[in-house]
Amino acid sequence: MENFIYQANPSRVIFGSGTIQKLPEELSRLGLSKPLLLCTPQQTSQAADLEKILGGKVAGTFSRATMHTPVEVTEEALEVLKSTGADSLVAIGGGSTTGLGKALSIRTGLYHICIPTTYAGSEVTPILGETQAGLKKTRSDPKILPGTVIYDVDLTMTLPASLSATSGVNAIAHSVEALYAQNGNPIINLLAQEGVRALAAALPAIVADPSSREARSSALYGAWLCGICLGNAGMSLHHKLCHTLGGTFDLPHAETHTVVLPHALAYNAPKVPRAMKMLADVLPGSDGDAIRGLNLLLDKLGVKRGLKDFGMKEADVDRAAELATSNAYPNPRELEQGPIRELIRRAWAGEHAKADL
């Protein structure tokens, strides 16, 4: 076995059904009593439910969490935070709300409790992506990691099947890149395979029956494991592309990950045979071909396959390729402008991924 380093991130996880009711107990355990609640404009009712659970003992609610964590929204939230005298942050929602909670926590030092309602996985990572002037940049710091994560399967039961699918594939992407990460290790490989296995089985079941509590529980479990992989291993081409495309062209986060993933994997495939085998082993119907397995999964989920479906123009392909190759970053295969451009063009057009880049 090769030498490796593994470091577990110190977050506390509460997993199950009805676990949101443990929020008052968790705040009390931490000696906190005046949280600022965070949510998106679409999830104010869930923030209101939290306020009821806490018996009204909150500093207030900021409901403008926004996709890609724009710095200007964070600055607006900071002003609200200062005016309320909050002693902690409780974020309920998906990646947008989690990102805002992270941005506020790293700026203020306040304890951050995260309550995910999607399969984003960012709640268990020390990574923050922020957008300013049309560019999305990421940074990593142990202080960014939320202190407590409360996974409540009940909160995912009303997540639309289509969003469940793309959110779940976004989570799978974390594990895919962890399998060939420069700083990967055997422990993360095990978590990555188990996370993909759980999600690849659960997501088609959710699309077929969104009310399946068993499938919802498995998907949330898988997303947690994939999030751990994201937080413990360096990401490569896929995540770089998605940050570039999402931040620059204002594309939806989970949907962009879903479209790009099989193409990014196809690009790296020649350099990562071991990772391809590990992935193929846990993707149903792959027949030993991980790209085939991913294409098959996306077909089962019925998701949109083209970035053009989300507003990206064909004229943007060249610029996206330039941005994606402008800065050096770890990737198993050297970045080549021509093949990267073709990768993005295929993703834009909605073509099935092929291992010929």
Side-chain angles (χ1 to χ4, degrees), residues 42-120:
Q42 295 77 30
Q43 292 181 296
T44 53
S45 62
Q46 289 181 316
D49 289 340
L50 280 185
E51 186 169 352
K52 291 177 183 176
I53 290 170
L54 292 169
K57 296 178 181 178
V58 301
T61 298
F62 183 84
S63 60
R64 288 202 353 95
T66 305
M67 185 172 62
H68 303 306
T69 319
V71 170
E72 60 269 26
V73 174
T74 298
E75 291 173 346
E76 181 185 342
L78 270 174
E79 292 304 312
V80 173
L81 187 61
K82 293 174 184 176
S83 68
T84 62
D87 65 2
S88 53
L89 302 159
V90 175
I92 185 166
S96 298
T97 312
T98 300
L100 177 59
K102 287 179 170 182
L104 293 173
S105 179
I106 192 64
R107 285 167 169 80
T108 63
L110 292 182
Y111 196 89
H112 179 194
I113 296 176
C114 196
I115 306 173
T117 59
T118 69
Y119 308 127

Side-chain angles (χ1 to χ4, degrees), residues 151-277:
Y151 287 109
D152 191 333
V153 175
D154 299 352
L155 298 179
T156 68
M157 295 303 296
T158 57
L159 189 66
S162 59
L163 181 54
S164 298
T166 55
S167 180
V169 176
N170 177 22
I172 287 174
H174 308 331
S175 283
V176 169
E177 292 224 298
L179 286 172
Y180 53 69
Q182 193 176 46
N183 61 339
N185 62 72
I187 309 305
I188 290 301
N189 288 347
L190 289 171
L191 293 175
Q193 284 189 291
E194 177 64 7
V196 173
R197 189 196 311 274
L199 281 161
L203 295 178
I206 289 171
V207 169
D209 179 12
S211 66
S212 170
R213 187 172 293 275
E214 181 180 354
R216 292 285 188 181
S217 183
S218 293
L220 195 59
Y221 163 73
W224 168 30
L225 298 184
C226 291
I228 292 174
C229 295
L230 174 65
N232 283 272
M235 299 290 106
S236 303
L237 174 64
H238 170 79
H239 282 75
K240 171 68 174 182
L241 280 175
C242 291
H243 286 153
T244 297
L245 294 165
T248 303
F249 304 107
D250 197 31
L251 301 177
H253 183 80
E255 290 84 350
T256 300
H257 276 269
T258 299
V259 170
V260 170
L261 180 59
H263 298 285
L265 182 66
Y267 181 90
N268 280 328
K271 299 294 184 180
V272 292
R274 183 166 174 266
M276 296 296 287
K277 182 182 185 309

